[in-house]
Amino acid sequence: MTTASQQPTPETSPASDAPDTPVTSVTPDTSVTFINVFEIDAEHLDGFLARWQERAALMSTKPGFLDSRLHRARSSQTRFQLVNVSHWASEEEYAAAGADPEFQRRTKAASESTQAPVVPNPGLYDVAVEFVGPAASRPAAIQG
């Protein structure tokens, strides 16, 4: 997503006849993307999801939190059954939120669960290349 502070230069803007041209930012953004992919057996997903929602609800109240989405694999054969993508206003605000003792307690309890072994693979990322499709300019459909 290109924000007002990240308008592409004319050299990197997609041409109207070239929809697959990447849009690149010219102004560095201080926001960060946190991605965590989880290896977990498909039969343990529902219990993990309930506990994840509690931790995510806590994090959503922290300064700098922008949004979060937890994606679930469509196939039980997919290696990473869950993928969390969240956005934070800055790396510092993300770090401060993660240092919250209650969040750390809940995370430790979830990782020590013997009934659902979970292998998280967390990391902070910056956008390297972005493509914006024609549907991005239309309003999102209301989910029912």
Side-chain angles (χ1 to χ4, degrees):
M1 167 181 354
T2 302
T3 62
S5 65
Q6 296 178 293
Q7 290 302 315
T9 63
E11 302 88 71
T12 61
S13 295
S16 60
D17 59 341
D20 59 348
T21 303
V23 176
T24 57
S25 300
V26 295
T27 306
D29 193 352
T30 60
S31 67
V32 294
T33 301
F34 172 75
I35 300 174
N36 196 355
V37 294
F38 297 94
E39 292 182 80
I40 181 173
D41 292 332
E43 65 266 15
H44 298 293
L45 284 175
D46 292 333
F48 180 82
L49 285 170
R51 291 186 310 277
W52 185 90
Q53 283 182 310
E54 292 171 2
R55 291 187 304 276
L58 176 64
M59 292 300 268
S60 72
T61 66
K62 302 298 180 189
F65 175 83
L66 300 176
D67 62 45
S68 183
R69 287 186 174 168
L70 184 64
H71 303 267
R72 184 176 185 159
R74 288 187 169 196
S75 167
S76 63
Q77 302 304 307
T78 301
R79 178 179 177 187
F80 300 114
Q81 286 294 299
L82 298 169
V83 177
N84 172 35
V85 179
S86 55
H87 298 97
W88 290 83
S90 70
E91 186 172 350
E92 294 77 19
E93 288 172 306
Y94 163 78
D100 176 82
E102 179 60 18
F103 176 74
Q104 289 183 354
R105 184 192 67 74
R106 290 180 189 187
T107 300
K108 183 178 179 185
S111 67
E112 292 176 347
S113 171
T114 57
Q115 57 185 213
V118 177
V119 179
N121 299 277
L124 291 177
Y125 296 84
D126 294 315
V127 174
V129 177
E130 180 177 44
F131 286 84
V132 179
S137 63
R138 289 185 239 141
I142 296 175
Q143 303 263 335

